[in-house]
Amino acid sequence: MSDAAAYELYAYWRTSATYRVRVALALKGLGAEERFVDVDKGENRSPEFLKINPMGGLPAFVVKDGGAVLTQSLAILDYLEETHPEPALLPADALGRARVRSLAQMLAADTHPLITPRVRKYLAAEGGFTPDAWKSWQRHWFTTGLQAFEARLAADRETGRFCHGDQVTIADICLASITAVMKVFDINVAGIPTVERILAECEAMPAFAAADPFLQTGAPERAA
Ligand SMILES: N[C@@H](CCC(=O)N[C@@H](CS)C(=O)NCC(=O)O)C(=O)O
């Protein structure tokens, strides 16, 4: 893999947002040196990490030449797309790009933030959430997001082998990033056949397979 020395990626094994960057890097033939930040030990809230990302979220992406720190996975994907346009992860036309970004944000902006550790910790501490209540919460928001995503895919004629035509885009990356973390939490959503068909296409590609959370540094053994 080329360019591994050009970037640093602050990462944790199971993070959905970091998964997106890992897949995009791999699709573009790039790499990054990973810096492990243990979210379960609260290292993302340490003074050192908050200097890197005051939101305390992973990933953070460092462009070593100049030292710029990028946060927000979709902004990092845009940066990679602009600096390494091939293979393109956005369509060539403006309407297509808007559709792909809309699909991506249905999951990255409207679904994923609701199931993050900071929300879990707040609901447990301030809302009296038991582990079972948290599981129901996770299931509810994953289901809401993925069933809406399925409805869009099933209705739109632009849907093809992948979310938009026959090329992988950031919409596929965001989709797979959500279902990868659902597997970690052992959550299934019914009634999403188009999503399942597209995920099978993604998971057959080495870039997606290599980003599997259970293959990352610090991951536990996958449950049998
Ligand atoms: N919108 C951000 C999300 C960042 C984020 O919330 N990352 C999660 C892991 S997937 C995290 O580090 N959470 C820590 C926490 O919630 O305390 C992005 O796309 O990069």
Side-chain angles (χ1 to χ4, degrees):
M1 205 169 259
S2 65
D3 276 359
Y7 308 114
E8 284 174 359
L9 182 65
Y10 286 81
Y12 189 51
W13 67 272
R14 65 158 190 263
T15 95
S16 181
T18 307
Y19 175 102
R20 295 170 206 144
V21 176
R22 289 189 179 116
V23 173
L25 284 167
L27 286 169
K28 289 180 179 293
L30 304 169
E33 279 179 41
E34 291 211 4
R35 302 270 177 263
F36 186 76
V37 180
D38 192 329
V39 171
D40 289 323
K41 289 188 180 154
E43 289 176 2
N44 58 310
R45 305 296 314 170
S46 69
E48 295 76 28
F49 188 71
L50 290 177
K51 275 189 212 146
I52 295 166
N53 183 5
M55 283 294 281
L58 296 167
F61 186 79
V62 181
V63 182
K64 286 202 212 165
D65 183 7
V69 179
L70 306 181
T71 60
Q72 295 296 335
S73 58
L74 293 182
I76 298 166
L77 265 50
D78 276 344
Y79 171 77
L80 293 174
E81 184 73 357
E82 288 175 22
T83 54
H84 295 84
E86 297 296 331
L89 299 178
L90 286 169
D93 62 302
L95 273 179
R97 284 195 295 279
R99 178 175 181 270
V100 164
R101 288 185 167 121
S102 165
L103 285 167
Q105 289 174 27
M106 285 173 76
L107 299 178
D110 285 3
T111 303
H112 170 244
L114 292 159
I115 54 82
T116 52
R118 60 188 174 277
V119 171
R120 172 173 48 77
K121 283 180 195 152
Y122 183 86
L123 290 175
E126 307 293 333
F129 266 49
T130 61
D132 280 352
W134 171 249
K135 195 85 180 170
S136 297
W137 171 279
Q138 280 182 309
R139 197 173 292 116
H140 174 77
W141 293 115
F142 280 127
T143 301
T144 303
L146 283 179
Q147 289 187 342
F149 200 87
E150 170 71 26
R152 281 284 307 273
L153 291 181
D156 290 357
R157 67 175 188 280
E158 294 89 346
T159 305
R161 189 177 151 212
F162 293 100
C163 291
H164 193 85
D166 295 336
Q167 300 294 323
V168 169
T169 64
I170 63 169
D172 303 289
I173 296 176
C174 287
L175 172 60
S177 78
I178 289 295
T179 56
V181 83
M182 281 168 54
K183 284 183 190 150
V184 171
F185 295 119
D186 199 21
I187 289 178
N188 292 300
V189 170
I192 50 170
T194 319
V195 161
E196 283 168 0
R197 173 181 66 70
I198 290 171
L199 282 172
E201 295 278 358
C202 293
E203 285 165 8
M205 297 176 67
F208 286 85
D212 182 337
F214 287 102
L215 298 179
Q216 310 308 316
T217 301
E221 288 288 311
R222 195 189 305 264

